[in-house]
Amino acid sequence: MTGATGNIGRTLVQHLVAAGEQVTAASRGNQDIALPDGVEHRRVDLADPESLSPAVENADALFLLLTGPQLVTGPDPARFVEVAVAGGIKKLVLLSSQATGTRPGLASHARLHAFESALQQFDLDWTILRPTGFFSNSYAWIESIRAERLIAAPFADIALPAIDPVDIAEVAATVLRTDHSGRVYELTGPTAISPREQALAIEAALGTPLRFVELTREQARTGMLRFMPADVADGTLDILGTPTPAEQQVSGDVEGLLGRPATSYAEWARRNRAVFG
């Protein structure tokens, strides 16, 4: 599985190991996280599809997650699938994005759309996961909460059904281990929630007052460019500021796959209160 050091990857590794699966954890750097016993680490740079080859050796399923520059540019997506299939992969689960379905022409998500299209051209079991925004995007507020008891965000009262990354990892573990061939799942939280409502949930979890400031789109874009490409920042702001009806709709796929409701933002905030401390 790729992306093994991220918010989703770490949890996914744990779920698969707990289920008795043999796991190879792949990431771009050298192993820099504590892995469960029995989990091997392989270095994979998704700027180079050939680097995937040693990681998929003797594996039958692959979880593919793109991050950073690979979200907007890089080698032909079909080559990644070719390398995986040549290595013996029979099942591939791609972590995509809701926007590949709701905004197929959006530049920030064009590469994910290309990966989806490439995957469907091959004779293997594939499943596509399309989550909404992650609750963990709120980690961007950690510094200002700790220093100033302040949360600043654009589009204060526009609500979207963001999702807990832990739920995404659990869904991924489920579809990797059972038959969901040819399925596309929309993954959302249990309800739409606005930035202002998220701030109130963190405030309640911490038990201390917080101040909320609404940013302009341009102010938010300046901050986002510190850690994401311009196309991704612009596409994200388009979704946050002018969501389509489909992007505001809650999906039942998480509950259908896991047999429990998706985690609420308030639950997530309580679980992560120490992070914001």
Side-chain angles (χ1 to χ4, degrees):
M1 55 162 293
T2 62
T5 60
N7 290 325
I8 294 169
R10 288 194 301 268
T11 304
L12 177 54
V13 168
Q14 293 164 1
H15 278 295
L16 291 173
V17 170
E21 300 291 345
Q22 272 194 296
V23 179
T24 298
S27 62
R28 184 171 55 185
N30 295 323
Q31 180 178 336
D32 57 358
I33 58 169
L35 295 170
D37 290 343
V39 175
E40 295 186 23
H41 180 269
R42 294 285 186 274
R43 186 180 182 279
V44 172
D45 184 350
L46 291 181
D48 174 17
E50 312 309 318
S51 72
L52 189 62
S53 183
V56 299
E57 187 177 351
N58 299 319
D60 55 14
L62 170 66
F63 178 70
L64 185 59
L65 181 159
L66 305 176
T67 59
Q70 290 307 309
L71 285 168
V72 292
T73 187
D76 180 2
R79 183 57 189 149
F80 291 92
V81 187
E82 289 172 356
V83 171
V85 171
I89 293 296
K90 298 176 177 61
K91 173 183 287 192
L92 197 156
V93 176
L94 172 68
L95 186 68
S96 186
S97 168
Q98 182 194 57
T100 60
T102 59
R103 303 184 187 224
L106 197 64
S108 59
H109 291 71
R111 187 156 166 77
L112 283 175
H113 193 275
F115 265 91
E116 288 192 12
S117 298
L119 180 59
Q120 296 174 48
Q121 304 307 310
F122 285 81
D123 183 22
L124 80 167
D125 292 342
W126 57 262
T127 307
I128 295 170
L129 306 181
R130 290 178 174 171
T132 53
F134 299 171
F135 289 168
S136 55
N137 291 341
S138 298
Y139 289 157
W141 299 333
I142 290 173
E143 185 177 336
S144 64
I145 289 174
R146 289 180 173 177
E148 305 174 68
R149 288 298 187 245
L150 169 70
I151 289 176
F155 316 120
D157 298 304
I158 296 178
L160 292 167
I163 186 169
D164 185 347
V166 170
D167 287 353
I168 300 172
E170 284 195 44
V171 165
T174 296
V175 300
L176 281 165
R177 300 182 63 245
T178 51
D179 181 19
H180 298 269
S181 181
R183 300 295 302 272
V184 178
Y185 292 112
E186 306 283 338
L187 307 183
T188 76
T191 186
I193 184 169
S194 69
R196 196 187 305 276
E197 291 167 333
Q198 290 175 344
L200 290 172
I202 295 174
E203 181 179 83
L206 291 175
T208 186
L210 298 176
R211 184 164 59 97
F212 183 87
V213 173
E214 183 171 13
L215 299 175
T216 66
R217 178 185 173 113
E218 194 54 41
Q219 287 172 327
R221 184 178 189 273
T222 298
M224 293 166 75
L225 290 178
R226 296 201 304 262
F227 56 89
M228 66 175 64
D231 279 351
V232 176
D234 291 333
T236 300
L237 288 166
D238 287 345
I239 294 168
L240 294 177
T242 54
T244 67
E247 289 162 351
Q248 294 178 298
Q249 185 174 346
V250 171
S251 165
D253 284 351
V254 170
E255 185 166 4
L257 288 162
L258 301 183
R260 62 163 178 80
T263 305
S264 71
Y265 188 88
E267 281 182 79
W268 178 86
R270 287 191 294 270
R271 195 176 77 228
N272 288 273
R273 65 167 62 91
V275 176
F276 295 101

